[in-house]
Amino acid sequence: MTALFAGGSICLSAFLLFQLQPMVAKAILPWFGGSAAVWGTCLMFFQVLLFLGYLYAYWLTKAVPARKQLWIHGALLLASVFVLPVLPGDSWKPSGDEEPIGRIALMLAATVGLPYFLLSSTSPLIQSWYARTQGTLPYRYFALSNAASLAALLGYPVLVEPNVALRTQGWIWSAGYVAYAGLCCWSAYWGSRADVAVAVPETGQDEHAVTVIGPAPAWKDRVLWMLLAGLASVLSLSVTNHLSQNVAPIPMLWVLPLAVYLITFIVCFESDRWYTHLRGSILQGVALVGMGYLLKMQTPETNIRLVVPALLAGLFGCCLFFHGELALRRPSSAYLTEFYLMIALGGALGAMAVGLVA
């Protein structure tokens, strides 16, 4: 499996993931009153499904022989094609007396659950197969995945949503998913037929290339991965809720905090030269003090042109610290699916903390 082929598979899956989220949210928002809580529920659902996709990738690569991985994943991809197109039909419209969170979760599970689940598993699966056949894994594939997600997220409200009818969006997305399913099956085929590569030590040519074999992470490392990812998720969703509910109910405003969240992943995992512990600690401290002061002094008359950029800047500083610390603690690629699994678990727990508990 070549680097170009692996990168293409990862980019397409990430792009489809983050086109699906706003597209489905736009379809169901009018049914539930268009409140910010609807988008919060959608985000929570997608975070939980992302964790399940990463859990599946971890199980498949650790517990299933390489050749059987092709048949299992290929069968699921084939089954997912039969639920297309992914947009929910009118039969899912609420009558008005249903409990909204449960209704939304059930509807999303039935309509987009399987395709989203498989798309979520793609990045760790492809990276694991690539590491198995090539002997090294550049962790900047994670940055590449988030860059494609960011392009999809920002492109939707600017290019897609104003110019393409919602039903047409669903069919175009479905066609892209079919192309992705074929590409992913081809990746699985190459990953299953190739011999395991010999681990290659780091050469210094790529600071994010790590050996396949390395020391196993301790439990405290796993817990720390989860906590760092969870705190970033909590802050991202909290800022999203505050902006949407207490600052200005502007359509698609939720895109901005999510974009900031993704940008910090890209910065931290693309290269080691951007983040240091000292730099991140100082920036996070300034960000927390600034956001706290702003929340204390904010009134209904406060100019939203000040509040929105200030909160986004604070979110950037905090998420940069959390994601930078994650990047500094990345393990050898033999444990990459476990690393991504704990990141997804933290994100899901953070989303549930905000969406259900808080």
Side-chain angles (χ1 to χ4, degrees), residues 35-37 39 239-250 253-254 257:
S35 69
W39 173 242
V239 169
T240 301
N241 285 349
H242 181 70
L243 289 176
S244 301
Q245 297 174 12
N246 302 328
V247 176
I250 300 173
L253 183 61
W254 51 263

Side-chain angles (χ1 to χ4, degrees), residues 266-290:
I266 296 169
V267 170
C268 295
F269 280 85
E270 191 279 329
S271 173
D272 283 341
R273 64 180 178 273
W274 302 115
Y275 180 84
T276 65
H277 178 74
L278 178 60
R279 189 182 303 163
S281 299
I282 294 173
L283 190 59
Q284 185 206 33
V286 172
L288 287 174
V289 171

Side-chain angles (χ1 to χ4, degrees), residues 102-114:
R103 177 78 174 185
I104 292 171
L106 180 62
M107 176 179 56
L108 292 175
T111 55
V112 306
L114 186 55

Side-chain angles (χ1 to χ4, degrees), residues 15 23 69 78 100 155 160 171 211 267 323 327:
F15 186 86
M23 182 176 68
Q69 293 175 23
L78 180 61
V160 178
W171 283 108
T211 57
V267 170
H323 293 158

